[in-house]
Amino acid sequence: MTPTSLAPDQAHARLHELTVIDVRTPGEYASGHIVGAHNVPLDHLDAAVPVLKPAAERGDLVMVCASGARSAQACATLIAHGISAATLTGGTTAWSRHGHDLHRPADAGGVWPMDRQVRFVAGSLVLVGLAVGQRRSVARWLSVGVAGGLVYSAVSGSCAMARVLAKLPLNQPRAADLDATLATLAAIGQQ
């Protein structure tokens, strides 16, 4: 099995027949997601495998994130479990750029999207490294380390800081929310 991808317009045309799984953090999901998408954060995907397998047998799964990187990782995980899935090329960013609507709940809360959290933390660490570096030059290495991490992130397409931030409580699904999502997906697999 090899991962496939769907362009935003292709996915939009088939939305009524797809099961859309959004693998972003709950805060990112709440900031705007494809209508009808189910939120199963990438860190919790293994827990969803038992319900995704029958759902995939009933219809096509498409994995979604902000840019397509995490959804590609999700597809690889599912393929390793024998589950066929496609990734949305360009993620929700490309989806909205193509003029397709994102659902933004009124009670979304104030959790920032992951890329904004990473920019905030990285920028703060660089500023702290430079400010403290005025008195203790060794602190400048903090800024150098963050800059190197950002360059590596851009080149590799992965982000260690995002993986760490995703583990913060504000980026974790509430157990009841994840359980409800898994129950809904289990029902889809039984249809």
Side-chain angles (χ1 to χ4, degrees), residues 149-177:
L150 291 172
V151 169
Y152 177 77
S153 174
V155 170
S156 70
S158 67
C159 183
M161 188 177 292
R163 284 194 303 275
V164 169
L165 291 173
K167 296 188 184 312
L168 291 175
L170 64 103
N171 288 320
Q172 293 296 309
R174 294 184 325 205
D177 292 343

Side-chain angles (χ1 to χ4, degrees), residues 16-69:
H16 64 283
E17 64 188 54
L18 297 171
T19 300
V20 180
I21 309 297
D22 192 318
V23 296
R24 297 175 299 158
T25 65
E28 291 175 288
Y29 175 81
S31 70
H33 58 270
I34 295 172
V35 175
H38 305 278
N39 185 220
V40 179
L42 186 60
D43 290 349
H44 297 274
L45 191 61
D46 286 331
V49 166
V51 296
L52 290 176
K53 191 168 193 121
E57 291 168 0
R58 301 265 186 231
D60 292 337
L61 296 180
V62 64
M63 311 308 283
V64 179
C65 67
S67 66

Side-chain angles (χ1 to χ4, degrees), residues 11 14-15 23 53 74 84 105-106 134 136 161 174 180 182 184:
R14 296 184 51 210
L15 196 54
V23 296
K53 191 168 193 121
S84 177
Q134 296 295 318
R136 300 199 182 268
M161 188 177 292
R174 294 184 325 205
L182 295 178
T184 300

